[in-house]
Amino acid sequence: MKKYSIAIVGAGPAGYFAAQALQNLQSDEFKFQIDMIEKLPTPWGLVRSGVAPDHPKIKTVSKVFEKIATTEGFQLFCNVELGKDVTTEELTDIYDAVVIATGSDKGKKLGIPGENLRGSLSAADFVPWYNAHPDYVNVDIPLDTDTALVIGAGNVAMDVARMLALEPRELDTTDTALHALEKLHNSKIRTVHVFGRRGPEHAAFTAPELRELPKLEHTDVEIGECDIEDAIKRAEFIGEIPKDVKSNLDAMMAVAKTPKQGHERKLNFHFLASPIEIKGKDRVEEVIFAINKVENGKVIQTEDTYSVKAGLIISAIGYESEPIPGVPYENGKVKNVEGRVTNSNIYVVGWAKRGPSGVIGTNKSDAAAVMEHLISDLKEPKINNGIAKLLSERGTIHISQSNWEALNNAEVNAGTPSGKPRIKFTDRKEMLGFAG
Ligand code: NAP
């Protein structure tokens, strides 16, 4: 029987689903040793540092990850960064194949004047801040303003807007980072405006997320009924409305028709508006929007503008991948053909492969298809001694699966007295105390 060794770089959903696909494809003829390498001291990727804390159900997929991780032939190496602790060349030499599953964590820029003012930031900084990512603990997020603006009509914008507009007590029994929870409790924000540059019929929100909005207990959500009626007319004019668009429009109409309770906290949705300038002396004070019209699905900016006073603006307009030395990049993702990186034994899965789209489950079928390619390309297995020796020679401390299990238990136990699912560590040194 042949035994191949595969390195998977990135311990997020795409990486775990790639490992699962390899485990499922093993046979009496060949088996895999899978070494998963992750730059953070903890695994789970976006399930830990991306999924909103008030969406605990989505995080239950971590049970699947742990089953994969405790299957024979799997090793975890957290706190090991590709390009720093180990090079791409070393991995491609040691392993039969290297799978890049590093996602996209750089927020796209609006590219408008004033974007660098204090109080203007990307969801790529805000989301890991409230999710206790160790590198984002000190992000400066001024919440001493009554109004916040969120740019983008996708699910990340929705998460960001909800986190700002919720009554923070609703987060007390979640795993929101303690530093964020404290700041959110003291937040002066009472109105959050979300802006989509196209119409409701083009919004990238998904219906389940929209259907949650009327259930917010302490926040009035406003979507203009006229906006949805106009969107329906525009969509019908083009032809039969696609099923997912219809579900979205139905969900938005339900929000529009929900009687408002007179709550102090408000979450308002606006469409056909693009920010063109952020104004302020030392920090964000006002944002100028251009009114758009849509022709054939394309945004056309008109000459008309309006302005909104606000002290915080968060853009949630998509992500790009940070390039890894030794891996070819193109248009914010790894250059690949169906997950294969040409002329190498490198493969790519998840957002690093296809760009930042799709929900967690999308990565399952995507990774499985790439792993079939990987298997069909395999030749004779290399003699592989893994990277443990190399790391210890370099003095790189790594968190293994059993170390992670101890860390995980400590976090869960710390949360129990206050009814939280866990209290996440944010300090690398503390986390690395579990190594060895
Ligand atoms: P997304 O779904 O692609 O949405 C990005 C939004 O930003 C779109 O509305 C887009 O408008 C807008 N946008 C792009 N460039 C812009 C610009 N220059 N000015 C103004 N608006 C601009 O991306 P995402 O929200 O980052 O989400 C990424 C993926 O993660 C999605 O597949 C999402 O469903 C998923 N996700 C899922 C959940 C969940 O299941 N609960 C939670 C979070 C994220 P156009 O359409 O006009 O380009």
Side-chain angles (χ1 to χ4, degrees):
M1 194 195 36
K2 293 179 177 176
K3 189 158 186 189
Y4 293 98
S5 56
I6 314 290
I8 297 179
V9 186
Y16 279 103
F17 286 132
Q20 186 186 49
L22 290 173
Q23 289 172 345
N24 291 343
L25 289 162
Q26 290 180 121
S27 68
D28 292 340
E29 286 161 43
F30 58 87
K31 293 244 179 291
F32 294 110
Q33 168 60 44
I34 300 166
D35 288 357
M36 182 175 269
I37 296 161
E38 162 63 47
K39 71 174 177 179
L40 284 181
T42 52
W44 298 0
L46 276 189
V47 169
R48 184 173 166 98
S49 60
V51 174
D54 62 333
H55 278 167
K57 256 198 198 157
I58 299 181
K59 300 187 194 212
T60 55
V61 69
S62 56
K63 290 205 179 91
V64 177
F65 299 165
E66 289 308 291
K67 193 157 179 267
I68 296 162
T70 47
T71 298
E72 202 194 326
F74 182 102
Q75 291 188 100
L76 184 66
F77 293 88
C78 285
N79 196 46
V80 177
E81 187 170 346
L82 184 58
K84 187 174 141 244
D85 300 307
V86 60
T87 66
T88 304
E89 216 183 356
E90 283 167 337
L91 290 189
T92 52
D93 277 353
I94 295 172
Y95 290 92
D96 293 294
V98 176
V99 180
I100 303 290
T102 46
S104 325
D105 56 7
K106 218 170 82 182
K108 280 194 187 148
K109 291 266 185 195
L110 288 165
I112 59 171
E115 198 171 7
N116 294 329
L117 279 170
R118 176 163 188 254
S120 160
L121 59 139
S122 164
D125 295 320
F126 183 60
V127 172
W129 170 76
Y130 64 61
N131 274 327
H133 188 301
D135 299 344
Y136 293 81
V137 175
N138 295 318
V139 178
D140 174 26
I141 300 166
L143 302 177
D144 56 346
T145 168
D146 57 5
T147 305
L149 314 182
V150 181
I151 311 301
N155 283 334
V156 172
M158 180 75 89
D159 284 348
V160 166
R162 234 184 25 257
M163 287 297 288
L164 290 169
L166 275 174
E167 157 60 58
R169 269 180 291 142
E170 292 177 52
L171 297 172
D172 284 348
T173 52
T174 69
D175 61 4
T176 307
L178 295 184
H179 59 258
L181 197 55
E182 191 191 337
K183 275 200 88 175
L184 289 166
H185 269 286
N186 293 318
S187 165
K188 298 273 181 293
I189 294 169
R190 293 297 176 269
T191 305
V192 179
H193 296 288
V194 180
F195 295 85
R197 64 176 170 181
R198 295 193 283 166
E201 72 276 33
H202 298 115
F205 308 127
T206 47
E209 280 64 33
L210 286 163
R211 283 193 214 107
E212 271 180 28
L213 292 173
K215 297 179 200 151
L216 292 179
E217 282 180 39
H218 304 96
T219 311
D220 277 340
V221 186
E222 180 89 48
I223 298 183
E225 236 178 286
C226 299
D227 288 348
I228 308 305
E229 282 162 4
D230 291 348
I232 293 170
K233 278 187 213 142
R234 283 193 299 264
E236 280 175 345
F237 183 74
I238 293 170
E240 197 184 333
I241 305 183
K243 216 173 138 207
D244 55 335
V245 176
K246 188 174 180 317
S247 304
N248 263 10
L249 291 172
D250 286 349
M252 284 191 242
M253 188 55 107
V255 174
K257 286 185 187 291
T258 302
K260 308 300 167 252
Q261 303 297 318
H263 292 304
E264 192 194 358
R265 294 174 189 276
K266 309 215 182 296
L267 171 51
N268 301 337
F269 287 79
H270 310 266
F271 296 94
L272 296 169
S274 290
I276 52 169
E277 186 179 359
I278 303 173
K279 288 185 161 180
K281 198 163 161 271
D282 302 315
R283 61 172 285 183
V284 174
E285 291 170 22
E286 183 182 11
V287 179
I288 313 294
F289 286 88
I291 298 177
N292 298 330
K293 56 182 183 176
V294 175
E295 278 174 17
N296 301 325
K298 287 213 173 92
V299 191
I300 298 171
Q301 221 164 281
T302 70
E303 301 275 294
D304 298 326
T305 62
Y306 63 88
S307 102
V308 183
K309 300 246 185 261
L312 180 69
I313 173 169
I314 301 186
S315 58
I317 59 169
Y319 293 82
E320 287 173 334
S321 296
E322 197 76 72
I324 296 169
V327 181
Y329 274 76
E330 190 176 58
N331 301 327
K333 48 192 183 189
V334 174
K335 192 173 175 192
N336 73 92
V337 181
E338 291 177 18
R340 285 179 167 113
V341 175
T342 315
N343 295 329
S344 73
N345 56 346
I346 304 176
Y347 297 79
V348 58
V349 293
W351 282 11
K353 169 188 172 240
R354 61 177 197 276
S357 67
V359 293
I360 289 167
T362 314
N363 294 302
K364 195 170 171 168
S365 51
D366 186 75
V370 179
M371 292 308 100
E372 284 192 17
H373 290 322
L374 182 156
I375 290 173
S376 69
D377 295 344
L378 287 171
K379 299 186 176 70
E380 282 307 303
K382 293 178 181 174
I383 296 165
N384 169 17
N385 297 315
I387 54 161
K389 191 162 164 269
L390 192 138
L391 293 176
S392 89
E393 279 165 9
R394 284 179 188 169
T396 305
I397 298 168
H398 78 268
I399 297 271
S400 65
Q401 177 63 23
S402 60
N403 301 153
W404 156 242
E405 284 169 15
L407 191 164
N408 191 16
N409 282 338
E411 286 191 342
V412 171
N413 291 340
T416 308
S418 46
K420 297 176 192 287
R422 68 177 63 237
I423 295 178
K424 289 180 196 163
F425 289 104
T426 52
D427 184 69
R428 277 175 189 267
K429 264 200 203 138
E430 252 184 307
M431 292 190 251
L432 293 180
F434 287 86

